[in-house]
Amino acid sequence: MRTIIEPFRIKMTEALPLTTREARAARLAFAHNNVFLLAAEDVTIDLLTDSGTGAMSDRQWAALMLGDESYAGSRSWRNFERVVRDITGFKHIFPTHQGRAAERILAATRLKAKEIVPNNSHFDTTRANIEYVGAQAVDLLTREGRDLYSEQRFKGDIDLFALERLIETEGAQKIPFCMITVTNNSGGGQPVSMQNIRDAKQLLKKHGVPLILDACRFAENAYFIKRHEAGWSDKSLIEIARAMFSFADGATMSAKKDGLANIGGFFGCHDDQWAEDFRNLLILTEGFPTYGGLAGRDLEAIAVGLMEALDEDYQRYRHATVDYLARRLMERGVPLVRPPGGHAVFIDAAAFCSHLSPRDYPGIGLVNALYLEGGVRAVELGSVMFGKARPGGDEEPAAHELVRLALPRRVYTQSHFDYVIEVIDAVWRTRDRIRPHHIVQQAPFLRHFTARFEAA
Ligand SMILES: *Cc1c(COP(=O)(O)O)cnc(C)c1O
């Protein structure tokens, strides 16, 4: 059959709010024109993030009931550990309450001020945790990866030439570990090839630098490798995932992505000293090493979710959904980052709003127009999120003005996406009416969450 259907049917429903344009205009004004400040009940289709927003399966809900809440040595922990070890092969595994907790403990135990951590692109919490201990987070994306419209397949690959140059100029002793993020969230959800992970490992090994995978979307990445990288088409997703992890000395993970859970994460590694240091701080800030800030039932749900994420029918449908949305928008001429990534579609807001300049915050104008048109919530990844203040009050714009439509896992059906396409199409046809925005109030850090805007 040519039609790729959702490989599940729906056993429980959650009503969607259907609102009028007048009501949305009032809600947006009340939220100071910042969709982060909207009440979720006022959003019809919420594409703000794919993090922790997925729907659990009946098997996950059943597993919740089997949660063993013993403080130490719980059965749920052993189920979790068995699954994570089966996929990753790590000797030491630690649950954490989410991905950034693993990052924070890793940074606190392994990094000193002035040291350097390269990555294809650091996710914002990873960067913040590295910078918090005074170390430096360096992005080494290839030239194709930085080109929004390049059709190359593995645009998440780390630039190996730049990595080698960095090691040679700074010295390997200044680089306690290197990271690779699969898929590359900050870079459009683009995949990393097995070849690139293997070559990076070989280069790093020569210099004695460990490799840590930021593995949040390891299963989506595995599917890209199966589909597009020579030599992997007849391997199962778990075999591909195991091969990816075989090149890593450790991994941080947010179970809110490919754990198909609403909360959770883990850290895994082989080295005994790394594990001991991690364990000591984990007990101090997260909890005993067999629960790490999670309930036993969460550990059960994650253990089931990790395996469901490696189900090929699920990944085929997931990738087909992103493709469906992207293809129909491209047919209408909407400028998108190419090719579509694993978890989101990114609109080039600068091209969409060609009548606006970066200092007009075109991403905010577009996000607000999508909300007003149909109650669709997206997020700006442009000069509000990444712009830098310059001395004198002027602002350095971000490299790109993007708007991300992130797809929660197993939540919306094809007709929901047809609706989203109709909303975007309507805004696209009237794009000249998207107005410039300016900031009237902002916080010194992570201002996008709370800033207040006015439309000119
Ligand atoms: C979400 C995410 C994180 C952080 O995980 P949380 O569970 O949100 O703390 C780290 N890296 C990447 C690539 C992510 O997408």
Side-chain angles (χ1 to χ4, degrees):
M1 288 297 155
R2 283 182 44 247
T3 307
I4 298 172
I5 58 172
E6 287 88 358
F8 49 82
R9 57 182 175 172
I10 296 166
K11 193 176 322 217
M12 186 191 285
T13 65
E14 180 183 0
L16 285 180
L18 299 175
T19 54
T20 62
R21 180 182 281 272
E22 292 66 40
R24 293 192 290 271
R27 300 329 285 169
L28 190 60
F30 187 72
H32 304 281
N33 294 304
N34 183 346
V35 294
F36 276 105
L37 302 178
L38 288 169
E41 304 95 282
D42 296 323
V43 176
T44 302
I45 305 280
D46 203 346
L47 307 182
L48 188 70
T49 176
D50 66 319
S51 179
T53 53
M56 293 208 296
S57 66
D58 52 352
R59 287 168 195 277
Q60 286 178 291
W61 283 104
L64 282 180
M65 295 302 291
L66 299 174
D68 174 359
E69 307 303 341
S70 305
Y71 192 93
S74 106
R75 183 187 60 239
S76 300
W77 150 249
R78 287 200 304 278
N79 287 341
F80 174 88
E81 186 189 35
R82 181 167 26 79
V83 169
V84 175
R85 183 164 295 132
D86 185 27
I87 297 169
T88 67
F90 290 128
K91 181 175 176 193
H92 304 286
I93 291 155
F94 301 100
T96 58
H97 81 273
Q98 56 184 89
R100 70 196 67 186
E103 294 168 352
R104 192 191 70 80
I105 298 175
L106 177 67
T109 53
R110 297 265 70 86
L111 293 179
K112 293 195 293 290
K114 307 249 164 20
E115 290 181 330
I116 298 171
V117 181
N119 199 334
N120 45 359
S121 303
H122 288 277
F123 181 65
D124 54 7
T125 61
T126 322
R127 169 178 294 280
N129 276 303
I130 290 167
E131 291 175 351
Y132 188 70
V133 297
Q136 198 188 334
V138 177
D139 290 344
L140 300 176
L141 203 53
T142 60
R143 192 156 45 81
E144 295 75 32
R146 281 179 274 128
D147 175 356
L148 299 186
Y149 295 99
S150 157
E151 287 284 1
Q152 188 164 314
R153 260 301 158 185
F154 289 97
K155 287 168 74 177
D157 283 358
I158 192 167
D159 184 337
L160 296 167
F161 296 106
L163 180 59
E164 184 150 39
R165 212 176 317 120
L166 182 79
I167 297 171
E168 278 163 7
T169 52
E170 297 290 343
Q173 70 289 346
K174 263 190 87 173
I175 306 176
F177 56 90
C178 172
M179 297 183 81
I180 296 182
T181 304
V182 297
T183 58
N184 187 21
N185 186 7
S186 307
Q190 299 293 333
V192 180
S193 64
M194 190 73 80
Q195 183 73 46
N196 187 249
I197 299 173
R198 186 192 294 125
D199 291 349
K201 174 61 188 174
Q202 205 165 25
L203 168 64
L204 292 165
K205 195 170 173 187
K206 204 169 72 187
H207 296 277
V209 177
L211 173 63
I212 305 296
L213 283 188
D214 179 340
C216 297
R217 297 178 183 79
F218 75 98
E220 288 170 8
N221 202 80
Y223 188 80
F224 276 116
I225 289 173
K226 183 178 173 87
R227 280 287 305 279
H228 301 296
E229 188 167 353
W232 293 97
S233 61
D234 52 7
K235 296 281 190 293
S236 68
L237 295 182
I238 195 166
E239 288 172 315
I240 297 171
R242 284 181 188 137
M244 287 161 53
F245 284 109
S246 75
F247 298 113
D249 300 276
T252 56
M253 172 76 190
S254 167
K256 301 172 74 170
K257 286 58 172 264
D258 278 349
L260 296 178
N262 302 115
I263 197 69
F266 63 79
F267 174 71
C269 69
H270 291 299
D271 187 276
D272 295 337
Q273 188 61 52
W274 281 46
E276 188 179 328
D277 296 342
F278 194 96
R279 184 182 301 112
N280 289 336
L281 196 51
L282 183 82
I283 292 172
L284 196 66
T285 61
E286 290 281 295
F288 194 72
T290 62
Y291 74 87
L294 294 170
R297 55 179 171 269
D298 296 330
L299 295 169
E300 295 280 0
I302 295 165
V304 175
L306 288 167
M307 295 307 290
E308 289 182 351
L310 288 167
D311 180 290
E312 211 166 312
D313 293 333
Y314 161 71
Q315 285 296 343
R316 185 182 302 111
Y317 136 79
R318 171 98 179 134
H319 284 68
T321 309
V322 178
D323 274 345
Y324 180 86
L325 176 59
R327 191 135 357 107
R328 272 152 190 79
L329 293 175
M330 287 190 295
E331 281 164 14
R332 289 162 172 79
V334 178
L336 300 186
V337 175
R338 316 275 278 266
H343 66 288
V345 168
F346 291 72
I347 302 175
D348 181 355
F352 196 109
C353 309
S354 55
H355 60 296
L356 300 180
S357 84
R359 69 193 64 234
D360 297 325
Y361 302 136
I364 297 295
L366 175 53
V367 164
N368 288 348
L370 296 176
Y371 178 72
L372 288 173
E373 187 66 32
V376 174
R377 179 156 68 170
V379 65
E380 187 248 28
L381 282 81
S383 289
V384 172
M385 197 179 276
F386 300 123
K388 290 198 191 76
R390 270 194 293 233
D394 196 12
E395 222 173 69
E396 188 183 332
H400 303 293
E401 303 296 333
L402 301 181
V403 164
R404 185 184 73 182
L405 308 160
L407 275 53
R409 294 173 178 78
R410 306 190 291 206
V411 169
Y412 296 117
T413 64
Q414 184 168 336
S415 74
H416 291 124
F417 288 107
D418 286 335
Y419 174 84
V420 171
I421 291 159
E422 190 179 334
V423 168
I424 296 172
D425 187 47
V427 174
W428 172 241
R429 282 185 283 104
T430 53
R431 58 192 178 275
D432 296 348
R433 284 191 232 146
I434 296 177
R435 288 144 71 195
H437 281 65
H438 61 269
I439 298 178
V440 289
Q441 191 178 315
Q442 59 181 305
F445 307 107
L446 298 174
R447 62 177 178 175
H448 53 281
F449 289 124
T450 54
R452 297 177 174 191
F453 301 97
E454 257 171 24

